[in-house]
Amino acid sequence: MSRFRSSMREDTQEADVNISPLIDCVFILLIFFIVTTTFVEETGVEVDKPQAASSVNLERNSILIAITGNGEVVYGGNRIGLGGVRPLVKRMLQKEDVPVIIQADREVQSGILVRVIDEAKLAGAEKVSVATRKQKS
């Protein structure tokens, strides 16, 4: 009878589940999503964009420059002024050829907007756009 009991104990051992391959797959997926994700840099200020019927969505990779209602030129939450637009755009275009998008408040004087567009084009930007809101029909 004791031989029978000892053989029963050997057969009822608990089966272990090896989760190491599962953890490896999760880390590989995490690394994949981190590498392939593109992040959109915001300008750091809130502007009231004008509406336009011809609004279209532009590329995610772009240089976003904001002009506030009181005429301040902002990039990444920092005031860069009109003189900072050309060096900034030139430096960003050395990495990759991306469009420049200007988010101008609807109260901005047209002269300041034109000067920012001019500075971006003088820095070598081929595509310069003004951000607008889609007009509600």
Side-chain angles (χ1 to χ4, degrees):
M1 190 79 172
S2 67
R3 279 184 21 207
F4 181 69
R5 285 185 186 163
S6 67
S7 67
M8 289 287 286
R9 287 185 195 148
E10 292 174 5
D11 292 342
T12 60
Q13 290 181 354
E14 293 184 25
D16 291 334
V17 177
N18 188 2
I19 63 169
S20 296
L22 178 65
I23 293 172
D24 290 344
C25 288
V26 169
F27 279 128
I28 288 171
L29 285 172
L30 180 67
I31 291 170
F32 172 77
F33 285 117
I34 289 172
V35 169
T36 59
T37 302
T38 57
F39 297 100
V40 177
E41 281 190 38
E42 292 295 325
T43 57
V45 293
E46 189 67 32
V47 293
D48 186 19
K49 295 178 262 188
Q51 291 183 347
S54 62
S55 287
V56 293
N57 292 332
L58 293 176
E59 302 172 36
R60 288 197 175 270
N61 286 346
S62 57
I63 303 169
L64 292 174
I65 299 172
I67 307 173
T68 62
N70 56 357
E72 294 177 342
V73 181
V74 179
Y75 173 78
N78 300 319
R79 290 186 214 154
I80 59 170
L82 284 170
V85 174
R86 192 185 307 186
L88 169 78
V89 172
K90 192 177 283 189
R91 186 179 74 241
M92 299 296 283
L93 289 175
Q94 287 176 350
K95 299 176 188 173
E96 184 180 2
D97 189 23
V98 293
V100 176
I101 300 174
I102 301 169
Q103 295 179 333
D105 194 278
R106 75 166 82 170
E107 303 298 323
V108 167
Q109 296 177 2
S110 60
I112 296 173
L113 177 60
V114 169
R115 288 184 61 194
V116 171
I117 292 171
D118 193 37
E119 288 291 319
K121 288 195 175 201
L122 288 173
E126 294 179 15
K127 296 180 189 176
V128 180
S129 304
V130 177
T132 59
R133 287 185 289 138
K134 189 77 168 171
Q135 187 174 20
K136 298 175 185 172
S137 27

